[in-house]
C-alpha cells in the first residue's frame, strides 16, 4: 500500500486538497492581520478623539485659563526654579502652587475677572485620568497618545504636584494617580522640568 497517488487524477485530487489547506491557512493569516490592522486603526482613532477633545471646547478653555494664571506668576515661578532643591524648595513650591491655583486671577473671553483655576486643574487631571484608562484598557493606542500628550502631561503633573498630593490626601486617595502614571516615567525628572 502506497501513500503516494498512483494516477494522474489522484495527483490532481491531492494537489487540490493541498491547495485548499494552504489557501485556508493563508486566508486565516490574512484575516488575522486584517483584524489586527483594523483594531490598531480603531485604537489610533480613539487616541485622536482625545487629541480633538483636548484641543477644543471646555478643555481648551481650561488649559488656556491655567496657562494664563501661570503666565501671570512666571517671575515667581522662575525664582523658585532658580533655587536649590531641598525642603525649602518643596515648601515654597507648594505654597506657590496652592496660591496660584486657588487665588490666581483669570480674565475670561468676555473680560470678566475670576479667581482661581481649581475646576480647570481638576478637569485636566480628570482628562488625563480618562486617557490613561483608555490606553491601559487597550482602547487607545499608547504610542499615539504618548506622542501627543507626554510633554504637556509631564509638565502639568510636575508643576501641579503639590496640589495633586494635597487633593489625594484630603479628598480622594486615587486623585491624580492615573495622571501621574501616564505623565511620569521617572519621578525625579519633575525637579529638572
Amino acid at each position: 500500500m502506497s501513500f503516494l497517488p498512483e494516477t494522474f487524477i489522484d495527483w490532481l485530487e491531492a494537489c487540490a486538497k493541498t491547495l485548499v489547506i494552504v489557501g485556508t491557512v493563508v486566508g486565516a493569516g490574512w484575516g488575522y492581520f486584517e483584524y489586527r490592522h483594523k483594531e490598531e486603526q480603531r485604537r489610533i482613532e480613539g487616541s485622536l478623539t482625545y487629541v480633538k477633545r483636548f484641543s477644543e471646547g471646555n478643555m481648551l478653555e481650561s488649559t488656556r485659563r491655567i496657562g494664563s494664571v501661570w503666565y501671570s506668576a512666571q517671575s515667581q515661578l522662575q525664582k523658585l526654579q532658580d533655587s536649590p532643591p531641598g525642603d525649602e524648595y518643596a515648601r515654597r513650591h507648594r505654597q506657590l502652587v496652592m496660591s496660584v491655583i486657588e487665588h490666581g486671577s483669570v480674565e475670561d473671553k468676555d473680560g470678566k475677572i475670576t479667581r482661581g483655576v481649581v475646576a480647570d486643574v481638576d478637569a485636566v487631571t480628570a482628562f488625563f485620568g480618562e486617557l490613561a484608562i483608555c490606553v491601559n484598557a487597550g482602547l487607545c493606542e499608547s504610542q499615539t497618545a504618548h506622542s501627543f500628550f507626554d510633554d504637556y502631561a509631564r509638565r502639568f503633573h510636575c508643576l501641579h504636584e503639590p496640589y495633586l498630593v494635597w487633593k489625594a490626601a484630603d479628598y480622594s486617595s486615587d486623585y491624580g494617580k492615573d495622571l501621574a502614571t501616564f505623565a511620569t516615567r521617572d519621578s525625579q525628572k519633575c525637579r529638572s522640568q
Side-chain angles (χ1 to χ4, degrees):
M1 176 172 192
S2 173
F3 289 108
L4 296 176
E6 295 177 8
T7 67
F8 181 69
I9 299 294
D10 291 340
W11 274 103
L12 285 177
E13 261 184 41
C15 286
K17 287 179 183 177
T18 303
L19 287 175
V20 166
I21 292 170
V22 168
T24 302
V25 169
V26 168
W30 180 263
Y32 175 75
F33 286 117
E34 280 293 311
Y35 169 77
R36 295 291 296 167
H37 178 71
K38 286 182 181 179
E39 282 296 301
E40 188 70 14
Q41 286 302 111
R42 186 187 54 75
R43 283 192 292 275
I44 290 170
E45 287 171 11
S47 299
L48 294 177
T49 299
Y50 276 90
V51 171
K52 182 178 181 193
R53 192 173 133 205
F54 192 76
S55 306
E56 60 189 29
N58 292 338
M59 287 307 303
L60 180 62
E61 278 302 305
S62 288
T63 57
R64 185 197 65 76
R65 285 189 292 265
I66 292 168
S68 178
V69 297
W70 281 109
Y71 183 77
S72 298
Q74 69 182 346
S75 63
Q76 296 152 308
L77 185 59
Q78 187 59 50
K79 285 179 191 173
L80 178 65
Q81 293 295 331
D82 292 341
S83 64
D87 290 341
E88 181 62 19
Y89 170 84
R91 185 190 66 74
R92 290 178 55 217
H93 182 218
R94 182 180 190 287
Q95 183 180 30
L96 177 62
V97 168
M98 298 304 278
S99 174
V100 167
I101 290 174
E102 292 177 0
H103 305 293
S105 297
V106 181
E107 184 176 337
D108 67 13
K109 55 188 168 192
D110 298 326
K112 181 182 170 191
I113 303 288
T114 58
R115 285 231 174 274
V117 289
V118 171
D120 298 311
V121 172
D122 290 344
V124 172
T125 301
F127 172 86
F128 280 110
E130 290 174 25
L131 179 60
I133 291 168
C134 188
V135 167
N136 293 338
L139 301 173
C140 292
E141 202 272 327
S142 179
Q143 185 176 353
T144 303
H146 283 287
S147 67
F148 276 103
F149 293 113
D150 265 2
D151 289 339
Y152 184 88
R154 189 174 298 117
R155 283 191 319 270
F156 180 86
H157 174 263
C158 289
L159 182 59
H160 298 97
E161 189 174 31
Y163 174 79
L164 302 171
V165 168
W166 170 78
K167 191 106 179 207
D170 287 2
Y171 288 98
S172 170
S173 61
D174 287 342
Y175 185 86
K177 182 180 80 172
D178 291 323
L179 165 65
T181 301
F182 183 85
T184 57
R185 302 283 189 268
D186 178 6
S187 61
Q188 297 302 313
K189 283 190 172 186
C190 276
R191 179 60 173 107
S192 65
Q193 304 235 343

